[in-house]
Amino acid sequence: MIRTTALKRLWRRTVWRFQSTLTFRMTLFYGALFAVASMLSLYGTRKAIESYAESQIRREMTVGSALFDRIAAMQFHQLAQAGNVLANDFGFREAVGTSDAATIGSALQSLQGRFKIDHAMFVAVDGTVAGPDEALSAVDRTQLFDALDAGRERGIVRWRGQSHMVAAAPVRAPMLMGWVVFARNMGPADLRQLAQLSSIDLHPQLVPSTSAVGRGTEVRDIDRDGERILSWARPVPALVKAVPQQLVLEYSLGRELIKACMALG
C-alpha cells in the first residue's frame, strides 16, 4: 500500500514537471513566433513607408526640374527681349558705329535699371567688351566672345564662381557689329527663392558638369556623413560649350521618412 502511494506521488510529480516544461516551451515558442512576426511586420511597414517617401521625392524632383526649365525659358526670353530693344535702337547703333563708349555705357545702364538686370555689356565683333559691367576675366571674355561668334546666344554661364543666365541680341547696321549681352544671377540665394516654389526644398544647385549626365538620368542614392540622400543631376543649356553646366537636386530620405511616419500616424 505504501509502495503504491509512493508510485502515485512519483507519477504525479513526473506529469506536473512534464506539463510545466511543456508550458514553458510553448510559451517560449509562441513568444519567439510573435517577436518574429512583429519584426517582419515592422520591416514591411518601414519598407512601404520608404518606398512611398522615395516615390514622392522622385515626383517632386521631376516637378522641380520642369519648373526650372520653365523659369529659365522665361528668363532667357525676357533678357533677349530687353537686348533686342537696345540692339534695334538707332541711337545705340550709331554709338556702336562711332565707338562712343560713354553713350554705349549710358544706354546699357539705363536698360539694366529699367528691366532689373544684374549684368549688362556690349561685346564687339573684335572681342572688346564695353559697358557698366566690364569686370570679366580675360578667360571669361574669350569664352563669351567665342560662344557668341559660334551663334550661341542663350545659356547658363559661370562667372567669378557664380552661375548666371545669359541672353544676347545681335547689333547690325546692317553688318554685324556686336552683341548686347544681358545676364541675371543664379547664385545660391536666387536658387533658394526658386526652391520655395516647390512643395519640398530640393536644394537646387547649378554646378559645372563633371561627367556626361543624360537628361532624365536616374536618381542616385548616396550616403553623406551617415545620412541617406537622393540626388538627381541633369544638364542645362550652357552658353560655353567647353564648360557644361548641370542642375543638381538633393533631398534627405531620412527627413522624408520621418514626415511620412508622422503623416501616417
Side-chain angles (χ1 to χ4, degrees):
M1 182 70 179
I2 295 175
R3 185 178 297 176
T4 303
T5 304
L7 287 173
K8 285 182 179 179
R9 287 177 181 174
L10 180 62
W11 170 253
R12 287 174 183 171
R13 283 181 194 157
T14 303
V15 171
W16 182 81
R17 286 177 182 173
F18 177 77
Q19 288 178 341
S20 299
T21 304
L22 181 62
T23 302
F24 179 69
R25 288 179 178 177
M26 290 182 66
T27 301
L28 283 180
F29 173 75
Y30 284 113
L33 186 63
F34 176 76
V36 171
S38 298
M39 290 175 63
L40 289 174
S41 176
L42 288 173
Y43 177 78
T45 302
R46 177 182 173 81
K47 294 301 288 185
I49 294 175
E50 188 173 311
S51 177
Y52 167 78
E54 191 168 336
S55 67
Q56 288 294 102
I57 295 172
R58 289 174 184 271
R59 185 180 66 83
E60 288 299 329
M61 283 182 168
T62 302
V63 172
S65 177
L67 179 63
F68 176 84
D69 286 340
R70 287 197 297 270
I71 291 177
M74 181 179 67
Q75 293 280 8
F76 286 138
H77 179 69
Q78 290 177 349
L79 291 170
Q81 274 193 324
N84 283 322
V85 169
L86 195 56
N88 293 319
D89 182 80
F90 177 78
F92 183 77
R93 287 185 295 174
E94 185 178 19
V96 170
T98 58
S99 300
D100 186 348
T103 302
I104 293 173
S106 176
L108 287 168
Q109 196 166 16
S110 176
L111 250 71
Q112 183 180 2
R114 189 188 310 172
F115 289 97
K116 297 181 180 179
I117 295 168
D118 297 308
H119 307 280
M121 66 195 81
F122 172 75
V123 181
V125 289
D126 62 357
T128 58
V129 178
D133 195 6
E134 303 176 14
L136 293 181
S137 68
V139 173
D140 290 338
R141 291 186 183 210
T142 300
Q143 290 179 340
L144 174 59
F145 174 74
D146 289 344
L148 296 172
D149 192 47
R152 293 191 297 275
E153 297 177 349
R154 297 185 184 186
I156 306 293
V157 70
R158 199 167 184 83
W159 291 332
R160 300 185 289 274
Q162 183 168 294
S163 297
H164 307 270
M165 287 185 174
V166 178
V171 180
R172 294 185 173 90
M175 300 293 293
L176 179 66
M177 296 188 294
W179 300 265
V180 173
V181 178
F182 286 152
R184 280 204 173 101
N185 296 338
M186 286 302 291
D190 306 282
L191 289 170
R192 279 196 296 270
Q193 292 181 357
L194 174 63
Q196 293 175 0
L197 300 176
S198 178
S199 61
I200 61 176
D201 186 1
L202 295 171
H203 298 91
Q205 305 171 65
L206 284 170
V207 298
S209 180
T210 55
S211 61
V213 183
R215 185 179 179 87
T217 185
E218 292 184 358
V219 175
R220 293 185 301 139
D221 195 333
I222 60 178
D223 186 288
R224 183 179 298 155
D225 299 327
E227 185 178 10
R228 189 180 172 193
I229 303 289
L230 292 182
S231 177
W232 186 29
R234 48 152 291 228
V236 294
L239 184 68
V240 179
K241 191 175 181 180
V243 189
Q245 304 289 311
Q246 64 182 9
L247 173 69
V248 177
L249 303 175
E250 292 184 346
Y251 195 76
S252 168
L253 184 60
R255 189 186 311 166
E256 189 64 18
L257 279 173
I258 294 173
K259 289 173 60 179
C261 288
M262 293 176 64
L264 292 174

